[in-house]
Amino acid sequence: MRNGTVTTFILLGLTDDPHLQVPIFIFLFFTYLLSITGNLTIIVLTFVDPHLKTPMYFFLRNFSFLEISFTSACIPRYLYNIATGDKVITYDACVIQVFFTDLCAVTEFYLLAAMSYDRYVAICKPLHYVTIMSHRVCRILIICCWMAGLCILTPPLSLGLNLVFCDSNKIDHFGCDAFPLVKISCSDTWFMEQTVIICAVITLNVTLTCVVLSYSYIIKTILRFPSVQQRKKAFSTCSSHMIVVSITYGTCIFIYMNPTAKEEVTTNKVVSLLISSVSPTLNPFIYTLRNNQVKEAFKNTIKRIASLSVK
């Protein structure tokens, strides 16, 4: 985003109705607190509890870190804008926000694919699970997820840095985002728009293919289990991840694959809010409330803290 005559942007937010500002602030503040608390709890539990030292929880810890980073890149800024009435964001701050929100979002897709592969190995190749999903392999997969996110983000970001803004500096969104910025640029944005869509399609297709293939083999394997109890346990292990995958892919496919969504600004903003605020809040509860190991680890940790405070 090359600096023309515009040095700052004005974030218009979700709505200009003054009666809705307080309810929106309260809603976002509490969902943000719940998101940070829930994801931090998962991170702490996977560090301190010896039963949660498996690759599955290693990936879950990294996923929680990504969720914290993603929601923290945009929600606190919007809360500040509502609380102070100051809707101005500098050019540099806008670029930084675009970079971190998009990097975390793209990396999250690759991490979900890696988590699907982990579940595939655990259920389809249980005897070789420890060998295949070693600590070294898990670390390499995490690094690859971040590198893939960075590689996918680099082309559109490089093009975005060359955009010129000269007529308007009002962004019709609650945060700096690719499509609202493209809309107010006075440059020819066709090539950049196509690049953004191509990068989004590549990410969604590559990661979704990995997820679908993994779960196809998982379902085939589970259906061959002789015991109903075994099948229930196996499905229970994967159910949390499948719910999170459905929410994440569903909302993003709506934004990038639905042509009208780019024009329907209000719809786009609401869906973006679901991704950046509601989804990171729900994910810790989906993983904890449906996972007995995590619930047990949480209870044990609370007991240890209580016993230490008594002493």
Side-chain angles (χ1 to χ4, degrees), residues 77-215:
R77 177 78 204 192
Y78 185 37
L79 289 173
Y80 169 80
N81 291 356
I82 297 173
T84 62
D86 180 9
K87 296 182 178 182
V88 176
I89 183 170
T90 64
Y91 174 88
D92 292 339
C94 193
V95 173
I96 291 167
Q97 189 179 75
V98 170
F99 174 76
F100 280 108
T101 51
D102 288 358
L103 177 63
C104 291
V106 175
T107 304
E108 194 170 293
F109 282 102
Y110 287 96
L111 184 54
L112 285 171
M115 292 168 81
S116 299
Y117 175 71
D118 171 67
R119 291 300 82 212
Y120 157 74
V121 177
I123 290 170
C124 301
K125 300 178 183 294
L127 298 177
H128 304 285
Y129 181 66
V130 177
T131 308
I132 296 172
M133 299 304 293
S134 63
H135 290 301
R136 181 173 173 273
V137 170
C138 290
R139 284 195 295 270
I140 289 171
L141 283 172
I142 292 296
I143 293 168
C144 287
C145 289
W146 281 98
M147 291 304 295
L150 195 58
C151 290
I152 286 290
L153 181 61
T154 301
L157 187 66
S158 301
L159 292 171
L161 290 170
N162 291 316
L163 290 178
V164 177
F165 301 90
C166 46
D167 299 325
S168 172
N169 69 335
K170 292 181 179 179
I171 302 174
D172 193 4
H173 211 278
F174 61 86
C176 289
D177 193 35
F179 286 120
L181 281 165
V182 164
K183 227 172 182 181
I184 64 168
S185 173
C186 49
S187 302
D188 181 5
T189 60
W190 181 86
F191 185 65
M192 183 188 168
E193 286 183 70
Q194 300 311 307
T195 305
V196 170
I197 292 170
I198 289 167
C199 290
V201 169
I202 290 171
T203 297
L204 288 171
N205 283 344
V206 169
T207 57
L208 193 56
T209 300
C210 292
V211 170
V212 170
L213 283 175
S214 296
Y215 276 103

Side-chain angles (χ1 to χ4, degrees), residues 9-113:
F9 295 105
I10 297 171
L11 298 171
L12 299 182
L14 283 175
T15 176
D16 55 1
D17 188 342
H19 300 294
L20 291 176
Q21 299 303 319
V22 173
I24 290 171
F25 181 88
I26 293 170
F27 172 75
L28 288 178
F29 180 73
F30 280 107
T31 53
Y32 180 68
L33 278 184
L34 280 172
S35 172
I36 298 298
T37 305
N39 284 295
L40 273 178
T41 300
I42 288 176
I43 291 170
V44 171
L45 289 177
T46 54
F47 268 119
V48 301
D49 194 282
H51 299 102
L52 304 182
K53 297 292 183 183
T54 62
M56 174 183 172
Y57 296 107
F58 173 76
F59 287 119
L60 182 55
R61 178 167 70 236
N62 281 275
F63 185 75
S64 292
F65 172 75
L66 259 180
E67 292 284 60
I68 289 172
S69 304
F70 178 56
T71 193
S72 296
C74 52
I75 296 301
R77 177 78 204 192
Y78 185 37
L79 289 173
Y80 169 80
N81 291 356
I82 297 173
T84 62
D86 180 9
K87 296 182 178 182
V88 176
I89 183 170
T90 64
Y91 174 88
D92 292 339
C94 193
V95 173
I96 291 167
Q97 189 179 75
V98 170
F99 174 76
F100 280 108
T101 51
D102 288 358
L103 177 63
C104 291
V106 175
T107 304
E108 194 170 293
F109 282 102
Y110 287 96
L111 184 54
L112 285 171

